[in-house]
mmCIF file of all heavy atoms in Angstrom:
data_model
loop_
_atom_site.group_PDB
_atom_site.id
_atom_site.type_symbol
_atom_site.label_atom_id
_atom_site.label_comp_id
_atom_site.label_asym_id
_atom_site.label_seq_id
_atom_site.Cartn_x
_atom_site.Cartn_y
_atom_site.Cartn_z
ATOM 1 N N GLN R 2 -11.607 35.596 -12.663
ATOM 2 C CA GLN R 2 -10.384 35.957 -13.378
ATOM 3 C C GLN R 2 -9.144 35.641 -12.557
ATOM 4 O O GLN R 2 -8.119 35.209 -13.092
ATOM 5 C CB GLN R 2 -10.409 37.450 -13.748
ATOM 6 C CG GLN R 2 -11.410 37.788 -14.848
ATOM 7 C CD GLN R 2 -11.375 39.264 -15.193
ATOM 8 O OE1 GLN R 2 -10.895 40.079 -14.408
ATOM 9 N NE2 GLN R 2 -11.903 39.604 -16.360
ATOM 10 N N SER R 3 -9.238 35.847 -11.228
ATOM 11 C CA SER R 3 -8.099 35.570 -10.361
ATOM 12 C C SER R 3 -7.781 34.068 -10.336
ATOM 13 O O SER R 3 -6.620 33.671 -10.279
ATOM 14 C CB SER R 3 -8.360 36.074 -8.937
ATOM 15 O OG SER R 3 -9.469 35.407 -8.365
ATOM 16 N N VAL R 4 -8.831 33.236 -10.389
ATOM 17 C CA VAL R 4 -8.628 31.789 -10.413
ATOM 18 C C VAL R 4 -7.931 31.379 -11.703
ATOM 19 O O VAL R 4 -6.988 30.575 -11.696
ATOM 20 C CB VAL R 4 -9.986 31.048 -10.286
ATOM 21 C CG1 VAL R 4 -9.790 29.547 -10.472
ATOM 22 C CG2 VAL R 4 -10.617 31.338 -8.933
ATOM 23 N N VAL R 5 -8.381 31.961 -12.825
ATOM 24 C CA VAL R 5 -7.763 31.661 -14.123
ATOM 25 C C VAL R 5 -6.307 32.108 -14.119
ATOM 26 O O VAL R 5 -5.421 31.405 -14.614
ATOM 27 C CB VAL R 5 -8.541 32.355 -15.267
ATOM 28 C CG1 VAL R 5 -7.789 32.187 -16.601
ATOM 29 C CG2 VAL R 5 -9.943 31.781 -15.379
ATOM 30 N N TYR R 6 -6.054 33.289 -13.537
ATOM 31 C CA TYR R 6 -4.683 33.803 -13.474
ATOM 32 C C TYR R 6 -3.785 32.883 -12.638
ATOM 33 O O TYR R 6 -2.653 32.584 -13.029
ATOM 34 C CB TYR R 6 -4.696 35.207 -12.871
ATOM 35 C CG TYR R 6 -3.310 35.776 -12.641
ATOM 36 C CD1 TYR R 6 -2.573 36.298 -13.698
ATOM 37 C CD2 TYR R 6 -2.738 35.758 -11.362
ATOM 38 C CE1 TYR R 6 -1.293 36.801 -13.498
ATOM 39 C CE2 TYR R 6 -1.463 36.254 -11.152
ATOM 40 C CZ TYR R 6 -0.747 36.777 -12.223
ATOM 41 O OH TYR R 6 0.525 37.267 -12.017
ATOM 42 N N GLN R 7 -4.308 32.428 -11.502
ATOM 43 C CA GLN R 7 -3.541 31.522 -10.648
ATOM 44 C C GLN R 7 -3.251 30.214 -11.368
ATOM 45 O O GLN R 7 -2.144 29.675 -11.287
ATOM 46 C CB GLN R 7 -4.314 31.241 -9.346
ATOM 47 C CG GLN R 7 -4.372 32.410 -8.382
ATOM 48 C CD GLN R 7 -3.019 32.737 -7.771
ATOM 49 O OE1 GLN R 7 -2.147 31.892 -7.677
ATOM 50 N NE2 GLN R 7 -2.836 33.993 -7.388
ATOM 51 N N PHE R 8 -4.243 29.717 -12.101
ATOM 52 C CA PHE R 8 -4.057 28.468 -12.843
ATOM 53 C C PHE R 8 -2.985 28.638 -13.921
ATOM 54 O O PHE R 8 -2.112 27.776 -14.086
ATOM 55 C CB PHE R 8 -5.386 28.045 -13.474
ATOM 56 C CG PHE R 8 -5.309 26.760 -14.245
ATOM 57 C CD1 PHE R 8 -5.234 25.538 -13.593
ATOM 58 C CD2 PHE R 8 -5.306 26.774 -15.638
ATOM 59 C CE1 PHE R 8 -5.158 24.353 -14.303
ATOM 60 C CE2 PHE R 8 -5.227 25.583 -16.356
ATOM 61 C CZ PHE R 8 -5.150 24.379 -15.690
ATOM 62 N N ARG R 9 -3.033 29.750 -14.630
ATOM 63 C CA ARG R 9 -2.029 30.007 -15.663
ATOM 64 C C ARG R 9 -0.637 30.148 -15.047
ATOM 65 O O ARG R 9 0.350 29.682 -15.617
ATOM 66 C CB ARG R 9 -2.383 31.280 -16.433
ATOM 67 C CG ARG R 9 -3.547 31.111 -17.406
ATOM 68 C CD ARG R 9 -3.855 32.411 -18.105
ATOM 69 N NE ARG R 9 -4.923 32.246 -19.089
ATOM 70 C CZ ARG R 9 -5.465 33.254 -19.762
ATOM 71 N NH1 ARG R 9 -5.036 34.498 -19.560
ATOM 72 N NH2 ARG R 9 -6.426 33.022 -20.638
ATOM 73 N N SER R 10 -0.580 30.771 -13.880
ATOM 74 C CA SER R 10 0.699 30.950 -13.198
ATOM 75 C C SER R 10 1.301 29.602 -12.811
ATOM 76 O O SER R 10 2.507 29.374 -12.949
ATOM 77 C CB SER R 10 0.504 31.819 -11.947
ATOM 78 O OG SER R 10 1.704 31.940 -11.219
ATOM 79 N N ILE R 11 0.441 28.687 -12.338
ATOM 80 C CA ILE R 11 0.909 27.348 -11.966
ATOM 81 C C ILE R 11 1.428 26.607 -13.192
ATOM 82 O O ILE R 11 2.483 25.969 -13.151
ATOM 83 C CB ILE R 11 -0.230 26.561 -11.285
ATOM 84 C CG1 ILE R 11 -0.555 27.172 -9.920
ATOM 85 C CG2 ILE R 11 0.156 25.089 -11.125
ATOM 86 C CD1 ILE R 11 -1.794 26.611 -9.264
ATOM 87 N N ILE R 12 0.686 26.695 -14.305
ATOM 88 C CA ILE R 12 1.093 26.028 -15.548
ATOM 89 C C ILE R 12 2.442 26.570 -16.021
ATOM 90 O O ILE R 12 3.324 25.805 -16.446
ATOM 91 C CB ILE R 12 0.025 26.205 -16.642
ATOM 92 C CG1 ILE R 12 -1.276 25.510 -16.236
ATOM 93 C CG2 ILE R 12 0.537 25.652 -17.972
ATOM 94 C CD1 ILE R 12 -1.152 24.023 -16.020
ATOM 95 N N GLU R 13 2.635 27.891 -15.931
ATOM 96 C CA GLU R 13 3.897 28.494 -16.351
ATOM 97 C C GLU R 13 5.050 28.018 -15.478
ATOM 98 O O GLU R 13 6.156 27.759 -15.965
ATOM 99 C CB GLU R 13 3.794 30.015 -16.295
ATOM 100 C CG GLU R 13 2.919 30.603 -17.393
ATOM 101 C CD GLU R 13 2.728 32.100 -17.238
ATOM 102 O OE1 GLU R 13 3.344 32.686 -16.295
ATOM 103 O OE2 GLU R 13 1.970 32.691 -18.030
ATOM 104 N N GLN R 14 4.784 27.886 -14.162
ATOM 105 C CA GLN R 14 5.825 27.377 -13.258
ATOM 106 C C GLN R 14 6.199 25.946 -13.595
ATOM 107 O O GLN R 14 7.381 25.590 -13.621
ATOM 108 C CB GLN R 14 5.352 27.465 -11.805
ATOM 109 C CG GLN R 14 5.747 28.747 -11.109
ATOM 110 C CD GLN R 14 5.519 28.654 -9.613
ATOM 111 O OE1 GLN R 14 4.561 28.035 -9.148
ATOM 112 N NE2 GLN R 14 6.388 29.259 -8.845
ATOM 113 N N ILE R 15 5.184 25.128 -13.869
ATOM 114 C CA ILE R 15 5.445 23.732 -14.209
ATOM 115 C C ILE R 15 6.251 23.638 -15.500
ATOM 116 O O ILE R 15 7.147 22.797 -15.628
ATOM 117 C CB ILE R 15 4.120 22.945 -14.321
ATOM 118 C CG1 ILE R 15 3.453 22.832 -12.947
ATOM 119 C CG2 ILE R 15 4.349 21.554 -14.914
ATOM 120 C CD1 ILE R 15 2.080 22.194 -12.966
ATOM 121 N N ASN R 16 5.957 24.497 -16.459
ATOM 122 C CA ASN R 16 6.687 24.493 -17.729
ATOM 123 C C ASN R 16 8.169 24.807 -17.541
ATOM 124 O O ASN R 16 8.998 24.438 -18.377
ATOM 125 C CB ASN R 16 6.069 25.492 -18.708
ATOM 126 C CG ASN R 16 4.754 24.987 -19.289
ATOM 127 O OD1 ASN R 16 4.536 23.771 -19.379
ATOM 128 N ND2 ASN R 16 3.878 25.899 -19.666
ATOM 129 N N GLN R 17 8.487 25.507 -16.440
ATOM 130 C CA GLN R 17 9.880 25.855 -16.167
ATOM 131 C C GLN R 17 10.628 24.747 -15.430
ATOM 132 O O GLN R 17 11.845 24.827 -15.271
ATOM 133 C CB GLN R 17 9.945 27.156 -15.353
ATOM 134 C CG GLN R 17 9.464 28.370 -16.127
ATOM 135 C CD GLN R 17 9.398 29.620 -15.267
ATOM 136 O OE1 GLN R 17 9.737 29.592 -14.084
ATOM 137 N NE2 GLN R 17 8.952 30.714 -15.851
ATOM 138 N N PHE R 18 9.915 23.715 -14.989
ATOM 139 C CA PHE R 18 10.563 22.599 -14.304
ATOM 140 C C PHE R 18 11.456 21.840 -15.274
ATOM 141 O O PHE R 18 11.171 21.760 -16.478
ATOM 142 C CB PHE R 18 9.519 21.622 -13.743
ATOM 143 C CG PHE R 18 8.750 22.132 -12.555
ATOM 144 C CD1 PHE R 18 7.619 21.447 -12.113
ATOM 145 C CD2 PHE R 18 9.143 23.272 -11.884
ATOM 146 C CE1 PHE R 18 6.910 21.902 -11.019
ATOM 147 C CE2 PHE R 18 8.434 23.736 -10.794
ATOM 148 C CZ PHE R 18 7.318 23.048 -10.361
ATOM 149 N N ASP R 19 12.532 21.255 -14.725
ATOM 150 C CA ASP R 19 13.320 20.343 -15.554
ATOM 151 C C ASP R 19 12.596 18.998 -15.637
ATOM 152 O O ASP R 19 11.540 18.800 -15.024
ATOM 153 C CB ASP R 19 14.754 20.194 -15.025
ATOM 154 C CG ASP R 19 14.822 19.586 -13.621
ATOM 155 O OD1 ASP R 19 13.947 18.775 -13.268
ATOM 156 O OD2 ASP R 19 15.762 19.926 -12.872
ATOM 157 N N GLU R 20 13.151 18.061 -16.385
ATOM 158 C CA GLU R 20 12.466 16.793 -16.632
ATOM 159 C C GLU R 20 12.201 16.025 -15.342
ATOM 160 O O GLU R 20 11.105 15.488 -15.133
ATOM 161 C CB GLU R 20 13.290 15.927 -17.582
ATOM 162 C CG GLU R 20 12.586 14.640 -17.992
ATOM 163 C CD GLU R 20 13.398 13.793 -18.957
ATOM 164 O OE1 GLU R 20 14.591 14.100 -19.140
ATOM 165 O OE2 GLU R 20 12.849 12.830 -19.511
ATOM 166 N N ASN R 21 13.189 15.974 -14.450
ATOM 167 C CA ASN R 21 13.025 15.235 -13.195
ATOM 168 C C ASN R 21 11.952 15.862 -12.315
ATOM 169 O O ASN R 21 11.156 15.155 -11.676
ATOM 170 C CB ASN R 21 14.355 15.171 -12.438
ATOM 171 C CG ASN R 21 15.356 14.242 -13.096
ATOM 172 O OD1 ASN R 21 14.973 13.390 -13.897
ATOM 173 N ND2 ASN R 21 16.624 14.401 -12.777
ATOM 174 N N GLN R 22 11.910 17.195 -12.273
ATOM 175 C CA GLN R 22 10.895 17.877 -11.473
ATOM 176 C C GLN R 22 9.495 17.590 -12.016
ATOM 177 O O GLN R 22 8.551 17.413 -11.243
ATOM 178 C CB GLN R 22 11.162 19.379 -11.451
ATOM 179 C CG GLN R 22 12.367 19.782 -10.626
ATOM 180 C CD GLN R 22 12.696 21.258 -10.761
ATOM 181 O OE1 GLN R 22 12.614 21.815 -11.858
ATOM 182 N NE2 GLN R 22 13.062 21.897 -9.670
ATOM 183 N N LYS R 23 9.371 17.538 -13.334
ATOM 184 C CA LYS R 23 8.070 17.230 -13.935
ATOM 185 C C LYS R 23 7.630 15.809 -13.598
ATOM 186 O O LYS R 23 6.443 15.567 -13.347
ATOM 187 C CB LYS R 23 8.135 17.421 -15.449
ATOM 188 C CG LYS R 23 8.211 18.875 -15.883
ATOM 189 C CD LYS R 23 8.317 19.010 -17.394
ATOM 190 C CE LYS R 23 8.404 20.469 -17.803
ATOM 191 N NZ LYS R 23 8.566 20.634 -19.271
ATOM 192 N N ILE R 24 8.575 14.881 -13.585
ATOM 193 C CA ILE R 24 8.244 13.494 -13.249
ATOM 194 C C ILE R 24 7.758 13.398 -11.808
ATOM 195 O O ILE R 24 6.760 12.737 -11.506
ATOM 196 C CB ILE R 24 9.467 12.582 -13.473
ATOM 197 C CG1 ILE R 24 9.775 12.454 -14.960
ATOM 198 C CG2 ILE R 24 9.223 11.191 -12.876
ATOM 199 C CD1 ILE R 24 11.080 11.762 -15.264
ATOM 200 N N VAL R 25 8.455 14.081 -10.899
ATOM 201 C CA VAL R 25 8.041 14.072 -9.490
ATOM 202 C C VAL R 25 6.680 14.738 -9.333
ATOM 203 O O VAL R 25 5.810 14.243 -8.593
ATOM 204 C CB VAL R 25 9.090 14.765 -8.602
ATOM 205 C CG1 VAL R 25 8.593 14.852 -7.153
ATOM 206 C CG2 VAL R 25 10.414 14.022 -8.642
ATOM 207 N N ALA R 26 6.467 15.865 -10.029
ATOM 208 C CA ALA R 26 5.183 16.568 -9.958
ATOM 209 C C ALA R 26 4.053 15.676 -10.458
ATOM 210 O O ALA R 26 2.961 15.643 -9.869
ATOM 211 C CB ALA R 26 5.242 17.862 -10.767
ATOM 212 N N LEU R 27 4.302 14.937 -11.537
ATOM 213 C CA LEU R 27 3.298 14.001 -12.041
ATOM 214 C C LEU R 27 3.020 12.911 -11.007
ATOM 215 O O LEU R 27 1.871 12.524 -10.781
ATOM 216 C CB LEU R 27 3.774 13.381 -13.353
ATOM 217 C CG LEU R 27 2.843 12.339 -13.987
ATOM 218 C CD1 LEU R 27 1.491 12.962 -14.332
ATOM 219 C CD2 LEU R 27 3.475 11.736 -15.235
ATOM 220 N N GLY R 28 4.084 12.427 -10.348
ATOM 221 C CA GLY R 28 3.912 11.435 -9.302
ATOM 222 C C GLY R 28 3.077 11.970 -8.141
ATOM 223 O O GLY R 28 2.195 11.276 -7.624
ATOM 224 N N LEU R 29 3.335 13.206 -7.754
ATOM 225 C CA LEU R 29 2.558 13.830 -6.673
ATOM 226 C C LEU R 29 1.080 13.900 -7.048
ATOM 227 O O LEU R 29 0.203 13.615 -6.222
ATOM 228 C CB LEU R 29 3.096 15.235 -6.386
ATOM 229 C CG LEU R 29 4.467 15.323 -5.716
ATOM 230 C CD1 LEU R 29 4.978 16.760 -5.746
ATOM 231 C CD2 LEU R 29 4.421 14.819 -4.279
ATOM 232 N N PHE R 30 0.818 14.288 -8.283
ATOM 233 C CA PHE R 30 -0.574 14.385 -8.754
ATOM 234 C C PHE R 30 -1.245 13.010 -8.732
ATOM 235 O O PHE R 30 -2.390 12.876 -8.287
ATOM 236 C CB PHE R 30 -0.597 14.983 -10.161
ATOM 237 C CG PHE R 30 -1.978 15.085 -10.749
ATOM 238 C CD1 PHE R 30 -2.887 16.019 -10.255
ATOM 239 C CD2 PHE R 30 -2.373 14.246 -11.779
ATOM 240 C CE1 PHE R 30 -4.170 16.102 -10.785
ATOM 241 C CE2 PHE R 30 -3.652 14.329 -12.313
ATOM 242 C CZ PHE R 30 -4.549 15.263 -11.817
ATOM 243 N N CYS R 31 -0.532 11.984 -9.191
ATOM 244 C CA CYS R 31 -1.084 10.620 -9.189
ATOM 245 C C CYS R 31 -1.319 10.120 -7.766
ATOM 246 O O CYS R 31 -2.302 9.418 -7.493
ATOM 247 C CB CYS R 31 -0.147 9.675 -9.937
ATOM 248 S SG CYS R 31 -0.063 9.969 -11.716
ATOM 249 N N GLY R 32 -0.420 10.482 -6.850
ATOM 250 C CA GLY R 32 -0.593 10.099 -5.452
ATOM 251 C C GLY R 32 -1.827 10.725 -4.848
ATOM 252 O O GLY R 32 -2.562 10.085 -4.076
ATOM 253 N N LEU R 33 -2.092 11.985 -5.217
ATOM 254 C CA LEU R 33 -3.301 12.663 -4.744
ATOM 255 C C LEU R 33 -4.546 11.984 -5.311
ATOM 256 O O LEU R 33 -5.525 11.770 -4.588
ATOM 257 C CB LEU R 33 -3.259 14.135 -5.147
ATOM 258 C CG LEU R 33 -4.476 14.983 -4.757
ATOM 259 C CD1 LEU R 33 -4.707 14.949 -3.260
ATOM 260 C CD2 LEU R 33 -4.305 16.418 -5.249
ATOM 261 N N LEU R 34 -4.497 11.625 -6.582
ATOM 262 C CA LEU R 34 -5.623 10.905 -7.182
ATOM 263 C C LEU R 34 -5.849 9.563 -6.481
ATOM 264 O O LEU R 34 -6.997 9.149 -6.276
ATOM 265 C CB LEU R 34 -5.363 10.668 -8.673
ATOM 266 C CG LEU R 34 -5.542 11.858 -9.617
ATOM 267 C CD1 LEU R 34 -5.259 11.435 -11.055
ATOM 268 C CD2 LEU R 34 -6.945 12.450 -9.508
ATOM 269 N N ALA R 35 -4.759 8.884 -6.120
ATOM 270 C CA ALA R 35 -4.881 7.599 -5.420
ATOM 271 C C ALA R 35 -5.593 7.767 -4.089
ATOM 272 O O ALA R 35 -6.407 6.923 -3.695
ATOM 273 C CB ALA R 35 -3.493 6.986 -5.214
ATOM 274 N N VAL R 36 -5.316 8.867 -3.385
ATOM 275 C CA VAL R 36 -6.012 9.131 -2.119
ATOM 276 C C VAL R 36 -7.505 9.319 -2.364
ATOM 277 O O VAL R 36 -8.348 8.811 -1.608
ATOM 278 C CB VAL R 36 -5.419 10.384 -1.431
ATOM 279 C CG1 VAL R 36 -6.265 10.784 -0.227
ATOM 280 C CG2 VAL R 36 -3.989 10.125 -0.998
ATOM 281 N N LEU R 37 -7.842 10.032 -3.434
ATOM 282 C CA LEU R 37 -9.243 10.336 -3.718
ATOM 283 C C LEU R 37 -10.011 9.125 -4.247
ATOM 284 O O LEU R 37 -11.207 8.977 -3.972
ATOM 285 C CB LEU R 37 -9.326 11.481 -4.737
ATOM 286 C CG LEU R 37 -8.757 12.826 -4.291
ATOM 287 C CD1 LEU R 37 -8.769 13.816 -5.443
ATOM 288 C CD2 LEU R 37 -9.540 13.380 -3.102
ATOM 289 N N LEU R 38 -9.321 8.246 -4.990
ATOM 290 C CA LEU R 38 -10.030 7.191 -5.714
ATOM 291 C C LEU R 38 -9.849 5.790 -5.142
ATOM 292 O O LEU R 38 -10.785 4.988 -5.183
ATOM 293 C CB LEU R 38 -9.592 7.199 -7.195
ATOM 294 C CG LEU R 38 -9.832 8.506 -7.962
ATOM 295 C CD1 LEU R 38 -9.275 8.395 -9.373
ATOM 296 C CD2 LEU R 38 -11.320 8.852 -7.994
ATOM 297 N N VAL R 39 -8.667 5.479 -4.637
ATOM 298 C CA VAL R 39 -8.406 4.090 -4.221
ATOM 299 C C VAL R 39 -7.787 4.018 -2.826
ATOM 300 O O VAL R 39 -7.077 3.059 -2.509
ATOM 301 C CB VAL R 39 -7.494 3.366 -5.247
ATOM 302 C CG1 VAL R 39 -8.215 3.177 -6.567
ATOM 303 C CG2 VAL R 39 -6.185 4.114 -5.458
ATOM 304 N N TYR R 40 -8.069 5.004 -2.002
ATOM 305 C CA TYR R 40 -7.455 5.051 -0.668
ATOM 306 C C TYR R 40 -7.711 3.766 0.120
ATOM 307 O O TYR R 40 -6.792 3.202 0.726
ATOM 308 C CB TYR R 40 -7.977 6.255 0.115
ATOM 309 C CG TYR R 40 -7.589 6.232 1.567
ATOM 310 C CD1 TYR R 40 -6.303 6.591 1.967
ATOM 311 C CD2 TYR R 40 -8.499 5.825 2.554
ATOM 312 C CE1 TYR R 40 -5.934 6.561 3.292
ATOM 313 C CE2 TYR R 40 -8.132 5.791 3.882
ATOM 314 C CZ TYR R 40 -6.849 6.151 4.256
ATOM 315 O OH TYR R 40 -6.486 6.105 5.574
ATOM 316 N N ARG R 41 -8.932 3.271 0.105
ATOM 317 C CA ARG R 41 -9.276 2.120 0.956
ATOM 318 C C ARG R 41 -8.524 0.857 0.548
ATOM 319 O O ARG R 41 -8.350 -0.053 1.359
ATOM 320 C CB ARG R 41 -10.782 1.882 0.967
ATOM 321 C CG ARG R 41 -11.380 1.455 -0.338
ATOM 322 C CD ARG R 41 -12.900 1.523 -0.267
ATOM 323 N NE ARG R 41 -13.532 1.050 -1.487
ATOM 324 C CZ ARG R 41 -14.022 -0.162 -1.657
ATOM 325 N NH1 ARG R 41 -13.921 -1.045 -0.670
ATOM 326 N NH2 ARG R 41 -14.600 -0.523 -2.776
ATOM 327 N N PHE R 42 -8.063 0.803 -0.709
ATOM 328 C CA PHE R 42 -7.326 -0.375 -1.163
ATOM 329 C C PHE R 42 -5.835 -0.295 -0.808
ATOM 330 O O PHE R 42 -5.157 -1.319 -0.737
ATOM 331 C CB PHE R 42 -7.468 -0.544 -2.674
ATOM 332 C CG PHE R 42 -8.883 -0.727 -3.134
ATOM 333 C CD1 PHE R 42 -9.541 0.274 -3.822
ATOM 334 C CD2 PHE R 42 -9.565 -1.902 -2.849
ATOM 335 C CE1 PHE R 42 -10.851 0.111 -4.234
ATOM 336 C CE2 PHE R 42 -10.879 -2.076 -3.250
ATOM 337 C CZ PHE R 42 -11.531 -1.063 -3.944
ATOM 338 N N LEU R 43 -5.336 0.923 -0.604
ATOM 339 C CA LEU R 43 -3.905 1.121 -0.359
ATOM 340 C C LEU R 43 -3.600 1.610 1.056
ATOM 341 O O LEU R 43 -2.439 1.775 1.412
ATOM 342 C CB LEU R 43 -3.338 2.128 -1.374
ATOM 343 C CG LEU R 43 -3.489 1.754 -2.848
ATOM 344 C CD1 LEU R 43 -2.960 2.893 -3.736
ATOM 345 C CD2 LEU R 43 -2.749 0.465 -3.161
ATOM 346 N N ALA R 44 -4.647 1.821 1.850
ATOM 347 C CA ALA R 44 -4.451 2.397 3.184
ATOM 348 C C ALA R 44 -3.607 1.516 4.094
ATOM 349 O O ALA R 44 -3.028 2.004 5.076
ATOM 350 C CB ALA R 44 -5.807 2.673 3.840
#
Side-chain angles (χ1 to χ4, degrees):
Q2 289 181 341
S3 62
V4 174
V5 173
Y6 175 78
Q7 288 292 335
F8 181 75
R9 286 179 177 174
S10 176
I11 292 171
I12 296 299
E13 288 175 3
Q14 268 192 324
I15 293 174
N16 285 333
Q17 293 174 1
F18 288 168
D19 63 31
E20 185 179 11
N21 288 341
Q22 289 173 320
K23 288 178 181 178
I24 291 171
V25 175
L27 178 61
L29 290 169
F30 178 71
C31 291
L33 178 58
L34 284 181
V36 172
L37 297 174
L38 301 176
V39 293
Y40 170 78
R41 66 191 183 98
F42 300 108
L43 301 176

